[in-house]
Amino acid sequence: MGTIGAMQETSKIWMNGELVDWADATVHVGTHGLHYGSGVFEGIRAYETPRGTAVFRLTEHFERLANSAKLLYMELPYSVDELKSACWDLIGANGLPECYVRPIAFFGYGELGVSSRGSPVDVAIMSWPWGSYLGEEGLRNGIRAKIASWERIGPNVIPHVAKATGIYINSMLAVLEANRAGYEEAILLTHDGYIADGSGENIFVVTDGVIYTPDLSASILPGITRDTVMQIAQDLGHRVVQKNLIRTDLYLADEVFMCGTAAEVTPIREVDDHPIGPPGPVTVEIQAAYLDTVHGRTERWGQWLEYAPAAKTQA
Ligand code: PPE
């Protein structure tokens, strides 16, 4: 999963209201979020388009961050508009035409003890170049996935609608298990045995021409790419059904793919050693439409691309 090796450093990180040098964006080891996983974050992509750098669904990502914070009783010290503008400042400062953007808000250094009362809230935004999450080869030819023995956290364990840092221990264990067994990605089931998420992606299944994806009751993260894929698929004339799926729905599917900001639209060619096949026509069509959209090669879904505010446009 992800890029192997050191992450590519960029010049600046936005931290608590200012742009600081990459190396200076540090926290104290007494930080609440480090001890208890009490943070919320986002993963956003900025793409190079014919009209300059565009961020895909920037507003929705920060709105989800605000919702995630709310679910942790965390008061974000910045509004969605302020965070969007911070994001543009950062993108401008780092000067990359394409990058992955990672906002994070967490209970900081103040008081330890599980209750977060008394801890300040720190907010930072990083950006760096991040290539295909599951590899170029995976994007083109599909990946091999394995159902994890770790269940996805239930709705009354941690609110799964929140993109909360602590939840990712669950994802980490699942993907480590899959990787150690020789698979590229893990698929997690709910406590009741329904398909939930990949470790960092939502799942889609195509059977007899109908596109299925787990609904929110299956402990999924309400993915912004998932929403994008559902809208694109419907606009292209496909029927999309949100419903509970079981693991055999994957084994017997005509096509399976995953999607997420980092993974974009990645075909799955095998689940638990059941061959599904090379990327099928629906997957290929949706992947192409998605990549054309994010790179600004089509205007059809152009409303999702947000451009730098005029005053701050970079050369
Ligand atoms: N489910 C999970 C568990 C998840 O982490 C992600 C995003 C999604 C679904 C898809 O959500 P969206 O990006 O809104 O379409 N995972 C992010 C972080 C991955 C990481 O390794 O870090 C991402 O894709 O940016």
Side-chain angles (χ1 to χ4, degrees):
M1 176 179 94
T3 318
I4 313 277
M7 83 191 291
Q8 202 175 316
E9 296 179 6
T10 54
S11 164
K12 298 288 182 189
I13 289 175
W14 184 93
M15 203 167 178
N16 295 325
E18 45 187 325
L19 290 170
V20 301
D21 285 343
W22 177 279
D24 295 335
T26 54
V27 297
H28 194 273
V29 291
T31 295
H32 192 280
L34 187 59
H35 291 250
Y36 309 115
S38 54
V40 295
F41 70 107
E42 272 304 317
I44 310 174
R45 273 192 194 272
Y47 290 93
E48 189 171 11
T49 77
R51 288 168 54 199
T53 293
V55 179
F56 190 66
R57 303 189 73 169
L58 177 64
T59 305
E60 285 97 327
H61 277 285
F62 278 119
E63 283 170 351
R64 187 172 64 184
L65 186 79
N67 284 340
S68 299
K70 186 173 178 184
L71 291 170
L72 266 63
Y73 300 95
M74 174 191 282
E75 267 179 54
L76 280 186
Y78 303 97
S79 67
V80 165
D81 281 342
E82 287 168 335
L83 292 169
K84 281 166 63 176
S85 134
C87 181
W88 284 116
D89 289 347
L90 178 72
I91 289 173
N94 284 336
L96 295 167
E98 290 209 352
C99 58
Y100 183 82
V101 179
R102 167 58 55 84
I104 183 166
F106 52 95
F107 288 112
Y109 175 67
E111 227 174 276
L112 279 182
V114 171
S115 169
S116 55
R117 278 186 300 174
S119 295
V121 176
D122 286 318
V123 185
I125 310 176
M126 305 169 71
S127 81
W128 71 95
W130 204 3
S132 357
Y133 192 58
L134 295 157
E136 272 303 323
E137 156 71 19
L139 208 55
R140 226 180 350 256
N141 297 321
I143 59 147
R144 297 174 60 244
K146 179 189 187 303
I147 306 280
S149 67
W150 299 101
E151 284 168 5
R152 173 84 176 153
I153 47 120
N156 294 322
V157 179
I158 304 175
H160 59 86
V161 166
K163 195 166 169 66
T165 60
I167 292 179
Y168 282 79
I169 293 175
N170 179 235
S171 284
M172 182 189 82
L173 290 172
V175 76
L176 281 178
E177 177 184 285
N179 288 165
R180 292 162 75 97
Y183 301 82
E184 279 95 42
E185 187 51 294
I187 296 170
L188 291 92
L189 305 179
T190 65
H191 183 66
D192 298 324
Y194 296 112
I195 306 293
D197 276 356
S199 77
E201 310 85 0
N202 291 114
I203 315 263
F204 282 81
V205 170
V206 185
T207 298
D208 295 333
V210 180
I211 302 176
Y212 300 92
T213 195
D215 71 23
L216 268 188
S217 68
S219 285
I220 63 167
L221 180 76
I224 289 167
T225 320
R226 172 182 177 274
D227 178 74
T228 304
V229 162
M230 290 196 294
Q231 292 198 45
I232 287 178
Q234 276 162 350
D235 289 348
L236 291 173
H238 294 286
R239 196 169 147 229
V240 181
V241 179
Q242 301 180 55
K243 71 174 204 109
N244 281 333
L245 300 168
I246 54 175
R247 61 198 293 173
T248 46
D249 289 326
L250 299 180
Y251 302 160
L252 299 176
D254 295 327
E255 302 179 34
V256 181
F257 63 88
M258 302 184 128
C259 71
T261 300
E264 300 177 311
V265 174
T266 300
I268 298 187
R269 64 185 162 86
E270 234 179 66
V271 179
D272 288 345
D273 305 316
H274 286 288
I276 291 156
V282 177
T283 305
V284 168
E285 183 190 21
I286 288 171
Q287 185 191 56
Y290 181 79
L291 294 176
D292 284 348
T293 299
V294 297
H295 289 104
R297 295 189 292 252
T298 171
E299 289 294 313
R300 186 161 180 190
W301 299 281
Q303 77 277 11
W304 285 324
L305 289 179
E306 298 184 34
Y307 294 88
K312 289 177 183 161
T313 303
Q314 288 302 113

